[in-house]
Amino acid sequence: MAKRNTDTSARADQLKEDLRHLSETVEELMNATSKDASGEMHELRERAERRLKDTRARLEARGERLYEETRETLSEQVDCCDRYVRENPWTSIGIGAATGLVLGMLLGRR
């Protein structure tokens, strides 16, 4: 669990760094636009486009990894719950009945 928190922190730091680079590039582009220097403007636009494409690709890759990790974690949790219910059927029935009773009482109060 601690490893996942460290991974999440590292990913958040990397995302912040990517966004900082992107904002710096956009700021440089805006400053160059005010100078109206066509050669410098062209170079900054290319750099901004390149960084934007790189950032977008990294964000898409991270999104896919996060989706896969979440899917894997949920699959493991479902397997664990299934195994518990199969090993302890009467306990599971009791938990389900108690949950239904509490929910029924709460909804009936309205």
Side-chain angles (χ1 to χ4, degrees):
M1 187 62 114
K3 183 180 182 232
R4 287 188 183 166
N5 288 339
T6 304
D7 291 343
T8 303
S9 178
R11 289 179 190 157
D13 291 342
Q14 182 62 43
L15 180 60
K16 288 177 188 175
E17 185 68 20
D18 289 345
L19 291 175
R20 187 181 64 76
H21 282 299
L22 184 61
S23 66
E24 287 175 357
T25 303
V26 170
E27 187 176 325
E28 288 174 352
L29 184 61
M30 295 302 287
N31 291 337
T33 304
S34 66
K35 295 176 187 174
D36 198 39
S38 62
E40 184 180 345
M41 181 68 151
H42 181 69
E43 178 187 332
L44 286 173
R45 280 186 184 166
E46 286 179 355
R47 255 188 17 209
E49 287 176 8
R50 192 171 47 247
R51 284 186 181 174
L52 185 59
K53 286 178 184 178
D54 290 344
T55 302
R56 184 179 297 141
R58 278 192 294 247
L59 289 174
E60 287 175 0
R62 286 187 191 133
E64 289 174 11
R65 279 196 311 261
L66 181 62
Y67 172 77
E68 289 300 322
E69 289 173 3
T70 303
R71 187 174 178 185
E72 181 180 313
T73 301
L74 286 174
S75 177
E76 290 172 3
Q77 291 175 355
V78 166
D79 290 342
C80 182
C81 289
D82 183 55
R83 197 173 31 248
Y84 178 81
V85 169
R86 291 181 189 275
E87 291 173 0
N88 304 298
W90 290 109
T91 304
S92 301
I93 290 171
I95 292 171
T99 303
L101 180 66
V102 169
L103 285 175
M105 289 173 60
L106 291 173
L107 292 174
R109 294 178 100 187
R110 288 185 174 181

